[in-house]
Every structure is written in structure tokens, then in C-alpha cells.
Amino acid sequence: MVCSGGNIHILQKTPSEWNKFSGIGGIVLFTAVFATLSAAYAMFTVFDNVWISAAFGILWGLMIFNLDRYIVSSIKKTGTWWNQILMAVPRLILATFLGIIISKPLELKIFEKEVNKQLNTIIQRNKKQLQGEMNGRILQQSGPFETEKKQIAEKTTAYQKSYDSAATELEKEILGKQSNLTSGKEGFGPNAKRKQELKEQRRADLENYQKQTSTRLEYLDKEISKVYTNLETERKSTETFEDKYNGFAARLQALDELGKNSAIIAAAAAFIMGLFICLEISPVLVKLISQVGPYDYLLEKTENDFRLYSKEKIEKGNAHTDFNIDKFKKELE
């Protein structure tokens, strides 16, 4: 009866109301218990500490208990039906909101195995996305260096082909193979001598270009290596963070994806949420649909008598006098 928010002194005079208020108080108490468990589990996923989670869970449970107790006790049954509905609507909305808040952490605990599996899927998906982003950044940062290396390689290849072509023509000239560029006379004649000089010139051009670009190539290789090293360090650091992606918000995301991918889990989660919403609003509904009883009449009479008592004191010039409730009760008796 204490949990229902009822006036103990009035309830002692109305034993027929004990069962109703005991039932309401029991629902308020068990709602607070579930709220404590729910908040404790939610905080454990955040802090990973039993004592902190338990302390916050108890604090949250006490707050929900006090709030539910106030919501139920603030509904008066002696007014018109329309007035009672107007009084109950904001309380029902608040109770529904509290039911959703309480149910979510418990849903996570009930579907913990499925949520852990989906979390692993999310982590792997995030890692794949991360790798794709890293590859894009590698191409962006190392692209100019790679392009310059490619240009140097293409020009080196051109020098190499030019040298190979001169060497081939010299060989044909010495062997006496007839072509558009050879005389067809076997042996090392004037033409072969000119081709020998051309071959040596082409070799010198190739070696000079390779010598000129070797330092630049070393610099480009170092810069490219630096890009890969920095991004690999960043990738490992980010993947370590991704492996710890199992907080409360991440679990809510996993539960939401499970609901979208599985109609059964979505229906089960909806039923669990509905259950806690019904549990949370049931004290208000019970109070709303119950018949006006002796307790309600006595409560209204006591409040009216207190208002008259206060008015009388004020009219007698005792506006600043602190009212003594015990004295008031004696005077009423």
C-alpha cells in the first residue's frame, strides 16, 4: 500500500480498499525492480563495471519508483469522467515513454546472443568500409608519386628500346643481313662502325637518364612507403577501436538491424516492449477504470476539510502560522 502512494491513515479506515491499493503498489514495485535491472545492464555495457552499474541501476529504479508512485497517487477519482481522462492522458504518455526506456536494455539482454552475432557482422562491415576508404586515400596521397614513377619508367623503357634497336641493327650489319637500314655486306665496315657509335650513344643516353633519375626514384619510393606506413598505422589503430564496438548504442543498432532482417525477432521485440508498456501504464489504467470507493470519498473529504481549516485560519489573521497536521487531525475528529 505504501508503494501505491495511498494515504496510510485513510486506508486504515477503509479495509475494503486494501486489495486494490496492494495490487497497484505491487505493480509499481515490480516496475521499479525491472527498471533497476534494465538500467544496471545498460550501464554495464557502457562502464563494464559491476559496482557502478549496480549503483546507477538502484538510483534509476528508485527514481522510476517515486515517479510511478506519484503518477498513480495524483489521479483523483471523485471528479467527472472527462476530467479524469484529461488528468490521465499526460500520465499515460509519460508511462508509455518510461515503458519503452525500461524495455530496450532488457530486449538487448534477451537477444544477447543474436545481438553479439550481428555486432560482429557490423564490425566486419565497418572494417571493410574502412579498408575501402584507406585504399582511396592511398591512391589520393600516393597518386602523384606513382604517376611520376610511371612517367620515368616509360621514358626509361623508350631509351632501352632505342638502345636495343641500335644493337639489333649493328648485329644485322655485321652479319650482312639485307634490310632498309643495312648495306647487306658481311663484316665490320664503315656502316657497322657508324652503327657501333650509334649503339654506344644510345647506351650512354640510357645510362645517363638512369643516373639522373635514380635519386628521384629513391625519393618517390620513400614518399610512397611513408604514405603506406602512416595509413597502415591508422588502420590498425582504427581496427582496434572497431573491435571494441560493443557499447550500448552499437547494441541498439544491432538490435534494430536484427528486427529489419528477421520478422520473428521484430515481432518478439515488439511484444516485449508492449509488455513493459502495459506494465508501466497498468497502475494508471487500474486507477482510472476502478469504481469510486470509500478511500476516494474520505480523501476528498479530508482535502476539503483541510482547505476549510486553512481558510478559517487565514480569516482569523493567522496567515503566517504554520499548520500543525496532527492538530488539524484532532480537530477534525
Side-chain angles (χ1 to χ4, degrees):
M1 288 186 287
V2 174
C3 298
S4 66
N7 188 301
I8 300 299
H9 299 290
I10 298 177
L11 283 172
Q12 288 175 348
K13 300 177 182 179
T14 56
S16 60
E17 298 279 67
W18 289 0
N19 287 337
K20 180 175 73 175
F21 279 85
S22 296
I24 294 175
I27 295 174
V28 171
L29 177 62
F30 281 111
T31 302
V33 171
F34 282 120
T36 300
L37 297 174
S38 175
Y41 176 72
M43 288 300 102
F44 185 76
T45 61
V46 176
F47 296 106
D48 199 21
N49 185 290
V50 174
W51 297 109
I52 294 177
S53 304
F56 186 87
I58 293 172
L59 181 64
W60 178 259
L62 290 174
M63 188 194 74
I64 295 297
F65 172 78
N66 189 61
L67 187 59
D68 284 345
R69 188 171 179 270
Y70 169 75
I71 290 174
V72 174
S73 64
S74 62
I75 297 178
K76 300 294 189 295
K77 290 295 299 176
T78 50
T80 64
W81 174 253
W82 180 244
N83 287 335
Q84 292 180 38
I85 292 294
L86 289 178
M87 291 175 60
V89 167
R91 291 164 173 79
L92 288 172
I93 294 174
L94 179 59
T96 301
F97 182 68
L98 291 175
I100 295 173
I101 293 176
I102 293 171
S103 68
K104 277 302 176 182
L106 294 178
E107 287 178 36
L108 293 177
K109 186 61 178 176
I110 292 171
F111 299 111
E112 185 174 19
K113 293 182 179 179
E114 292 81 2
V115 167
N116 288 338
K117 183 177 179 181
Q118 185 64 26
L119 268 178
N120 185 60
T121 301
I122 294 174
I123 289 172
Q124 296 305 318
R125 185 176 66 215
N126 290 346
K127 284 184 178 181
K128 185 177 180 180
Q129 181 181 355
L130 173 65
Q131 187 61 51
E133 293 175 356
M134 290 292 180
N135 291 339
R137 291 173 62 186
I138 287 174
L139 291 176
Q140 181 182 7
Q141 295 181 22
S142 66
F145 304 122
E146 294 285 1
T147 300
E148 188 174 351
K149 277 188 66 177
K150 184 179 179 181
Q151 292 172 349
I152 293 174
E154 289 175 351
K155 198 166 183 179
T156 301
T157 301
Y159 276 114
Q160 183 68 50
K161 287 182 178 179
S162 180
Y163 168 76
D164 292 341
S165 176
T168 302
E169 291 302 321
L170 174 60
E171 183 180 358
K172 288 181 179 179
E173 183 66 37
I174 294 174
L175 295 176
K177 294 182 179 180
Q178 183 69 41
S179 70
N180 294 332
L181 299 176
T182 60
S183 61
K185 297 180 180 180
E186 185 178 354
F188 194 83
N191 287 334
K193 186 177 180 181
R194 286 195 300 270
K195 291 185 183 300
Q196 175 70 24
E197 292 174 353
L198 179 61
K199 174 186 173 183
E200 294 301 324
Q201 182 61 45
R202 299 275 175 87
R203 182 203 296 273
D205 292 340
L206 173 61
E207 291 177 350
N208 288 336
Y209 184 74
Q210 288 177 333
K211 185 177 181 180
Q212 291 173 5
T213 58
S214 61
T215 303
R216 184 62 181 174
L217 285 173
E218 289 179 4
Y219 169 77
L220 293 175
D221 287 334
K222 287 180 180 179
E223 290 299 314
I224 293 172
S225 176
K226 190 184 299 182
V227 170
Y228 277 90
T229 300
N230 292 339
L231 291 179
E232 181 65 17
T233 303
E234 182 180 344
R235 184 187 65 80
K236 289 181 179 180
S237 175
T238 309
E239 282 193 351
T240 301
F241 176 78
E242 287 292 338
D243 289 334
K244 298 178 181 179
Y245 186 75
N246 60 352
F248 186 69
R251 291 180 175 277
L252 284 177
Q253 179 186 352
L255 182 62
D256 180 65
E257 291 187 5
L258 283 173
K260 292 178 180 178
N261 298 332
S262 173
I264 295 177
I265 292 180
F271 278 119
I272 293 171
M273 181 186 297
L275 174 64
F276 280 97
I277 292 175
C278 291
L279 182 66
E280 184 66 32
I281 67 175
S282 57
V284 179
L285 292 178
V286 169
K287 191 73 176 289
L288 188 63
I289 66 177
S290 62
Q291 297 293 328
V292 181
Y295 173 86
D296 301 299
Y297 289 118
L298 281 176
L299 179 62
E300 184 182 27
K301 180 180 182 302
T302 302
E303 291 177 347
N304 288 335
D305 290 344
F306 186 78
R307 281 192 291 268
L308 292 174
Y309 177 80
S310 303
K311 184 178 180 181
E312 181 183 348
K313 289 291 184 182
I314 293 172
E315 289 174 351
K316 288 181 179 181
N318 297 325
H320 300 290
T321 302
D322 293 333
F323 297 123
N324 188 309
I325 300 301
D326 294 333
K327 183 178 179 182
F328 164 69
K329 288 165 61 179
K330 290 180 180 179
E331 292 185 14
L332 287 181
E333 295 173 354

